[in-house]
Amino acid sequence: MHFISEALEDYVALHSENEPELLARLNKETHQKILQPRMLSGHFQGRFLSMISKLIRPTNILEIGTYTGYAALCMAEGLPENGTLDTIDNNEELYDFQRKYFDQSQWGNQIQQHLGDALKIIPTLNKKFDLVFIDADKENYINYFNVIVPMMNKGGLILSDNVLWSGKVLEEVKANDKSTKVLLEYNEILKKDPRVETVLLPIRDGLTMSRVV
């Protein structure tokens, strides 16, 4: 996960916008109570998501993979008053945890949670999206991308997390490692698909920005 030293990451965070108090509490409680807290976007990546959202002022945001809701709240910071954020996860045990923090924020009534299979839920949303964040099961990244692109507004951004996969994209792929195989194919698709223009950023575990043209 760490492509630069932890000390340098700490310096980056220290010289970026402060983590909002609500998110700091969410961060702390996630590490105290929830399994796999490394899945949390965290301070630096969260401020990056917030900045992107504020720059494009999306009317409709879609998140695939809610976890404890940290990234959703970061992206919600850029929503206009009439904006919406739909976030999808298949872990019902985290639903109430997410809702608790959503409702403590000023965007609680703009955030809609969905529980279940994202590939079945997304086509039912009947919206055009300006910002999408993909951060769920890696084996379905290509499927998510293909269902999302036709639902994007021109100029919209698709953000894909964990695309460097702890550096495994540069290693010999094990026969049973389907996630790495899919991510390697996914990264090639984003590079070559004429519907998007893409930049892969070495932020945390790799974050790709794909702009719909």
Side-chain angles (χ1 to χ4, degrees):
M1 180 72 75
H2 291 280
F3 295 109
I4 61 175
S5 70
E6 290 192 47
L8 196 53
E9 285 192 358
D10 289 342
Y11 181 88
V12 168
L14 185 64
H15 291 82
S16 298
E17 193 70 18
N18 292 337
E19 184 179 40
E21 189 271 337
L22 176 65
L23 290 175
R25 286 194 279 113
L26 191 164
N27 194 336
K28 182 177 180 181
E29 188 172 1
T30 297
H31 279 80
Q32 289 174 335
K33 299 179 179 179
I34 308 299
L35 293 175
Q36 297 181 296
R38 63 177 284 177
M39 291 172 58
L40 193 82
S41 288
H43 177 186
F44 170 57
Q45 182 169 312
R47 290 304 86 205
F48 179 81
L49 294 175
S50 168
M51 182 71 76
I52 291 295
S53 186
K54 289 172 181 175
L55 285 170
I56 67 175
R57 297 292 288 169
T59 300
N60 295 316
I61 300 173
L62 173 63
E63 178 184 46
I64 306 172
T66 315
Y67 190 48
T68 56
Y70 191 101
L73 286 171
C74 292
M75 292 185 290
E77 293 176 27
L79 283 173
E81 289 185 4
N82 65 334
T84 66
L85 190 155
D86 290 274
T87 184
I88 306 171
D89 205 282
N90 61 5
N91 188 346
E92 61 182 309
E93 294 180 0
L94 292 177
Y95 188 93
D96 292 339
F97 186 102
Q98 299 158 6
R99 191 75 253 168
K100 177 178 70 172
Y101 280 96
F102 292 159
D103 287 343
Q104 289 180 54
S105 77
Q106 67 188 75
W107 306 282
N109 64 350
Q110 295 173 270
I111 300 175
Q112 176 67 47
Q113 294 164 279
H114 303 272
L115 188 61
D117 184 342
L119 291 172
K120 294 179 179 178
I121 293 170
I122 293 168
T124 71
L125 296 179
N126 195 29
K127 294 180 182 178
K128 285 283 191 177
F129 293 100
D130 307 292
L131 178 61
V132 173
F133 185 41
I134 304 175
D135 189 17
D137 55 311
K138 313 311 165 192
E139 295 179 11
N140 270 313
Y141 265 36
I142 295 170
N143 296 327
Y144 294 142
F145 177 76
N146 285 329
V147 75
I148 285 166
V149 171
M151 300 177 67
M152 297 293 296
N153 283 317
K154 185 176 180 180
L157 285 181
I158 300 171
L159 304 177
S160 308
D161 202 13
N162 305 116
V163 291
L164 294 179
W165 208 222
S166 299
K168 291 181 182 179
V169 292
L170 295 180
E171 299 171 0
E172 183 176 349
V173 182
K174 297 178 181 178
N176 63 347
D177 187 354
K178 187 174 180 180
S179 293
T180 301
K181 291 178 183 177
V182 171
L183 282 172
L184 286 167
E185 184 180 355
Y186 182 68
N187 290 339
E188 287 295 319
I189 288 172
L190 293 187
K191 167 67 175 176
K192 297 176 181 177
D193 194 313
R195 296 174 296 177
V196 295
E197 52 186 17
T198 291
V199 176
L200 198 164
L201 303 170
I203 293 174
R204 292 187 78 235
D205 197 27
L207 181 69
T208 298
M209 295 178 60
S210 301
R211 177 180 175 271
V212 178
V213 298

XYZ file of all heavy atoms in Angstrom, residues 73-124:
422
model
N -18.799 10.874 2.066
C -18.910 12.177 2.720
C -17.923 13.176 2.133
O -18.230 14.369 2.039
C -18.684 12.020 4.227
C -19.856 11.387 4.984
C -19.457 11.063 6.413
C -21.073 12.314 4.977
N -16.755 12.704 1.728
C -15.787 13.606 1.082
C -16.339 14.126 -0.240
O -16.283 15.331 -0.515
C -14.472 12.875 0.850
S -13.571 12.446 2.358
N -16.884 13.250 -1.055
C -17.420 13.673 -2.349
C -18.676 14.514 -2.189
O -18.931 15.417 -2.990
C -17.691 12.446 -3.229
C -16.428 11.724 -3.663
S -16.739 10.361 -4.827
C -17.563 9.187 -3.746
N -19.453 14.262 -1.155
C -20.675 15.035 -0.914
C -20.374 16.510 -0.681
O -21.251 17.363 -0.892
C -21.433 14.456 0.281
N -19.153 16.836 -0.288
C -18.788 18.231 -0.020
C -18.924 19.110 -1.260
O -19.058 20.329 -1.147
C -17.359 18.299 0.533
C -17.217 17.664 1.909
C -15.773 17.661 2.402
O -14.990 18.538 1.981
O -15.422 16.776 3.207
N -18.900 18.501 -2.449
C -19.024 19.281 -3.674
C -20.433 19.333 -4.238
O -20.650 19.948 -5.285
N -21.395 18.706 -3.568
C -22.766 18.664 -4.083
C -23.449 20.028 -3.986
O -23.372 20.693 -2.955
C -23.603 17.656 -3.298
C -23.429 16.169 -3.585
C -24.224 15.353 -2.571
C -23.857 15.820 -5.007
N -24.164 20.440 -5.041
C -25.044 21.600 -4.913
C -26.281 21.205 -4.105
O -26.476 20.021 -3.785
C -25.404 21.925 -6.366
C -25.291 20.614 -7.069
C -24.186 19.871 -6.398
N -27.123 22.165 -3.786
C -28.284 21.882 -2.937
C -29.230 20.863 -3.554
O -29.911 20.127 -2.834
C -29.039 23.177 -2.630
C -28.295 24.110 -1.684
C -29.116 25.324 -1.307
O -30.292 25.399 -1.719
O -28.594 26.192 -0.584
N -29.290 20.821 -4.881
C -30.180 19.872 -5.550
C -29.469 18.592 -5.955
O -30.019 17.765 -6.680
C -30.808 20.512 -6.794
C -29.769 20.836 -7.872
O -28.596 21.050 -7.565
N -30.189 20.882 -9.122
N -28.232 18.400 -5.469
C -27.441 17.240 -5.861
C -27.782 15.994 -5.074
O -28.354 16.051 -3.982
N -27.408 14.837 -5.644
C -27.638 13.556 -4.985
C -26.378 12.707 -5.035
O -25.561 12.836 -5.954
C -28.777 12.767 -5.654
O -28.383 12.391 -6.987
C -30.066 13.576 -5.701
N -26.255 11.844 -4.065
C -25.174 10.860 -4.043
C -25.787 9.499 -3.754
O -26.393 9.293 -2.713
C -24.119 11.212 -2.996
C -22.816 10.391 -3.026
C -21.666 11.189 -2.420
C -22.943 9.056 -2.280
N -25.653 8.576 -4.708
C -26.090 7.196 -4.523
C -24.872 6.347 -4.223
O -23.887 6.376 -4.974
C -26.774 6.685 -5.791
C -28.121 7.343 -6.032
O -29.118 6.854 -5.477
O -28.165 8.343 -6.779
N -24.931 5.596 -3.136
C -23.792 4.755 -2.766
C -24.273 3.330 -2.544
O -25.312 3.091 -1.922
C -23.055 5.306 -1.531
O -21.901 4.494 -1.271
C -23.940 5.390 -0.304
N -23.531 2.378 -3.099
C -23.960 0.978 -3.132
C -22.949 0.101 -2.409
O -21.743 0.212 -2.618
C -24.089 0.480 -4.585
C -25.011 1.403 -5.394
C -24.606 -0.959 -4.625
C -24.999 1.098 -6.892
N -23.461 -0.794 -1.568
C -22.602 -1.761 -0.884
C -23.410 -3.026 -0.639
O -24.642 -2.975 -0.559
C -22.082 -1.196 0.443
C -20.777 -1.848 0.876
O -20.821 -2.982 1.394
O -19.715 -1.224 0.698
N -22.731 -4.157 -0.510
C -23.450 -5.414 -0.267
C -23.289 -5.921 1.161
O -23.700 -7.033 1.481
C -22.998 -6.495 -1.259
C -21.518 -6.827 -1.145
O -20.822 -6.328 -0.260
N -21.021 -7.661 -2.056
N -22.698 -5.102 2.037
C -22.489 -5.503 3.430
C -23.543 -4.854 4.316
O -23.404 -3.704 4.724
C -21.080 -5.110 3.885
C -20.742 -5.669 5.261
O -21.612 -6.125 6.007
N -19.462 -5.626 5.614
N -24.588 -5.604 4.632
C -25.682 -5.032 5.417
C -25.261 -4.697 6.853
O -25.892 -3.866 7.499
C -26.879 -5.972 5.425
C -26.634 -7.339 6.030
C -27.878 -8.214 5.936
O -28.963 -7.748 6.340
O -27.767 -9.355 5.457
N -24.188 -5.312 7.341
C -23.742 -5.043 8.702
C -23.218 -3.618 8.873
O -23.160 -3.110 9.986
C -22.673 -6.059 9.119
C -23.190 -7.484 9.223
C -22.123 -8.466 9.640
O -20.962 -8.023 9.853
O -22.421 -9.668 9.756
N -22.811 -2.986 7.767
C -22.271 -1.627 7.851
C -23.323 -0.553 7.565
O -23.024 0.638 7.680
C -21.105 -1.470 6.863
C -19.847 -2.277 7.184
C -18.808 -2.084 6.084
C -19.265 -1.865 8.531
N -24.532 -0.947 7.205
C -25.555 -0.001 6.768
C -25.855 1.055 7.843
O -25.851 2.261 7.565
C -26.829 -0.760 6.405
C -27.903 0.087 5.754
C -27.990 0.185 4.371
C -28.843 0.777 6.517
C -28.966 0.944 3.756
C -29.823 1.544 5.917
C -29.884 1.622 4.544
O -30.850 2.387 3.949
N -26.100 0.619 9.057
C -26.439 1.560 10.137
C -25.249 2.428 10.525
O -25.419 3.601 10.879
C -26.962 0.801 11.368
C -28.319 0.155 11.116
O -29.028 0.602 10.189
O -28.652 -0.799 11.839
N -24.045 1.860 10.476
C -22.828 2.633 10.755
C -22.710 3.782 9.761
O -22.474 4.937 10.121
C -21.615 1.716 10.673
C -20.312 2.356 11.077
C -19.752 2.110 12.319
C -19.618 3.194 10.206
C -18.541 2.688 12.694
C -18.419 3.779 10.564
C -17.881 3.524 11.820
N -22.890 3.470 8.481
C -22.827 4.508 7.439
C -23.880 5.584 7.684
O -23.587 6.784 7.635
C -23.075 3.870 6.060
C -22.091 2.814 5.637
C -22.666 1.891 4.577
O -23.776 2.098 4.071
N -21.927 0.853 4.237
N -25.115 5.134 7.936
C -26.228 6.078 8.079
C -26.004 7.023 9.257
O -26.370 8.200 9.187
C -27.527 5.298 8.273
C -28.790 6.132 8.182
C -29.080 6.474 6.728
N -28.825 7.858 6.379
C -28.800 8.300 5.131
N -28.980 7.492 4.114
N -28.564 9.569 4.889
N -25.412 6.509 10.316
C -25.158 7.340 11.497
C -24.308 8.549 11.135
O -24.634 9.689 11.508
C -24.451 6.516 12.581
C -24.081 7.328 13.823
C -23.432 6.455 14.887
C -22.053 5.995 14.494
N -21.344 5.293 15.601
N -23.269 8.317 10.356
C -22.388 9.428 9.984
C -22.982 10.278 8.868
O -22.806 11.501 8.862
C -21.002 8.899 9.608
C -20.173 8.598 10.835
C -20.105 7.318 11.366
C -19.501 9.617 11.505
C -19.370 7.049 12.508
C -18.762 9.361 12.648
C -18.704 8.079 13.147
O -17.987 7.833 14.296
N -23.699 9.663 7.941
C -24.357 10.464 6.904
C -25.324 11.458 7.544
O -25.379 12.631 7.150
C -25.109 9.558 5.920
C -24.229 8.689 5.061
C -24.740 7.543 4.464
C -22.896 9.004 4.842
C -23.946 6.740 3.666
C -22.085 8.215 4.046
C -22.622 7.071 3.457
N -26.083 10.986 8.527
C -27.095 11.840 9.147
C -26.491 12.915 10.050
O -27.160 13.906 10.360
C -28.092 10.997 9.938
C -29.036 10.222 9.026
O -29.136 10.579 7.843
O -29.667 9.259 9.512
N -25.266 12.718 10.477
C -24.590 13.755 11.262
C -24.003 14.850 10.368
O -23.625 15.912 10.868
C -23.468 13.137 12.103
C -23.955 12.278 13.260
C -22.803 11.697 14.054
O -21.914 12.417 14.512
N -22.788 10.386 14.211
N -23.956 14.594 9.087
C -23.407 15.572 8.143
C -24.527 16.456 7.603
O -25.713 16.175 7.782
C -22.725 14.866 6.964
O -23.686 14.367 6.043
N -24.161 17.510 6.893
C -25.154 18.392 6.291
C -25.731 17.834 5.001
O -26.667 18.404 4.429
C -24.532 19.764 6.018
C -23.454 19.771 4.943
C -22.739 21.108 4.847
O -21.916 21.457 5.694
N -23.062 21.868 3.807
N -25.210 16.685 4.544
C -25.669 16.100 3.283
C -26.501 14.840 3.497
O -26.779 14.119 2.545
C -24.464 15.776 2.396
C -23.575 16.958 2.199
C -23.772 18.023 1.356
C -22.347 17.227 2.897
N -22.748 18.924 1.485
C -21.857 18.473 2.414
C -21.615 16.545 3.865
C -20.672 19.039 2.894
C -20.434 17.107 4.346
C -19.976 18.328 3.856
N -26.911 14.584 4.723
C -27.617 13.343 5.025
C -28.823 13.088 4.147
O -29.052 11.957 3.696
N -29.603 14.132 3.882
C -30.814 13.948 3.072
C -30.521 13.873 1.577
O -31.434 13.653 0.779
C -31.831 15.056 3.354
C -31.325 16.434 2.951
O -30.145 16.603 2.633
N -32.200 17.414 2.973
N -29.265 14.046 1.196
C -28.887 13.952 -0.217
C -28.205 12.631 -0.543
O -27.969 12.328 -1.712
C -27.953 15.111 -0.600
C -28.593 16.496 -0.513
C -27.586 17.603 -0.746
O -26.956 18.092 0.184
N -27.428 18.006 -2.005
N -27.885 11.860 0.493
C -27.168 10.593 0.305
C -28.141 9.434 0.402
O -28.795 9.240 1.428
C -26.040 10.442 1.340
C -25.025 11.580 1.202
C -25.350 9.089 1.173
C -23.943 11.563 2.269
N -28.224 8.650 -0.661
C -29.114 7.490 -0.722
C -28.282 6.211 -0.700
O -27.430 6.000 -1.564
C -29.961 7.532 -1.990
C -30.847 6.319 -2.192
C -31.947 6.208 -1.160
O -32.635 7.188 -0.865
N -32.106 5.030 -0.581
N -28.510 5.369 0.300
C -27.818 4.089 0.385
C -28.580 3.011 -0.388
O -29.818 3.003 -0.396
C -27.703 3.645 1.842
C -26.825 4.515 2.724
C -27.085 4.242 4.199
O -28.046 4.762 4.755
N -26.240 3.423 4.811
N -27.826 2.119 -1.001
C -28.405 0.970 -1.698
C -27.665 -0.275 -1.237
O -26.426 -0.290 -1.204
C -28.271 1.122 -3.209
C -28.884 2.376 -3.756
N -30.207 2.451 -4.138
C -28.349 3.597 -3.973
C -30.462 3.679 -4.574
N -29.349 4.391 -4.491
N -28.399 -1.312 -0.908
C -27.808 -2.544 -0.399
C -28.048 -3.671 -1.394
O -29.195 -3.954 -1.759
C -28.436 -2.901 0.953
C -27.829 -4.053 1.742
C -26.368 -3.770 2.093
C -28.644 -4.300 3.010
N -26.961 -4.276 -1.879
C -27.112 -5.396 -2.796
C -26.089 -5.393 -3.908
O -25.004 -4.806 -3.788
N -26.439 -6.060 -5.013
C -25.556 -6.241 -6.168
C -25.544 -4.964 -7.005
O -26.557 -4.595 -7.610
C -26.066 -7.423 -6.993
C -25.172 -7.765 -8.169
O -24.349 -6.915 -8.583
O -25.303 -8.883 -8.702
N -24.396 -4.310 -7.082
C -24.303 -3.031 -7.797
C -24.665 -3.171 -9.267
O -25.277 -2.273 -9.848
C -22.889 -2.464 -7.661
N -24.319 -4.294 -9.891
C -24.605 -4.471 -11.316
C -26.103 -4.561 -11.594
O -26.559 -4.259 -12.700
C -23.889 -5.710 -11.850
C -22.371 -5.596 -11.930
C -21.750 -6.940 -12.285
C -21.950 -4.530 -12.933
N -26.866 -4.959 -10.592
C -28.320 -4.990 -10.729
C -28.946 -3.652 -10.331
O -29.966 -3.248 -10.888
C -28.908 -6.107 -9.871
C -28.510 -7.506 -10.322
C -29.106 -8.574 -9.418
C -28.723 -9.974 -9.879
N -29.262 -11.031 -8.972
N -28.334 -2.963 -9.380
C -28.895 -1.719 -8.862
C -28.647 -0.545 -9.802
O -29.542 0.277 -10.041
C -28.311 -1.417 -7.465
C -28.804 -2.457 -6.461
C -28.686 -0.005 -7.003
C -28.100 -2.397 -5.118
N -27.437 -0.441 -10.353
C -27.063 0.735 -11.158
C -28.045 1.009 -12.302
O -28.490 2.152 -12.461
C -25.616 0.593 -11.693
C -24.616 0.637 -10.535
C -25.300 1.728 -12.672
C -23.208 0.228 -10.925
N -28.452 0.005 -13.090
C -29.361 0.302 -14.200
C -30.735 0.821 -13.752
O -31.462 1.409 -14.551
C -29.501 -1.051 -14.909
C -28.270 -1.809 -14.542
C -27.989 -1.395 -13.131
N -31.089 0.615 -12.480
C -32.394 1.067 -11.984
C -32.372 2.509 -11.492
O -33.430 3.060 -11.168
C -32.880 0.174 -10.819
O -32.080 0.425 -9.639
C -32.781 -1.300 -11.185
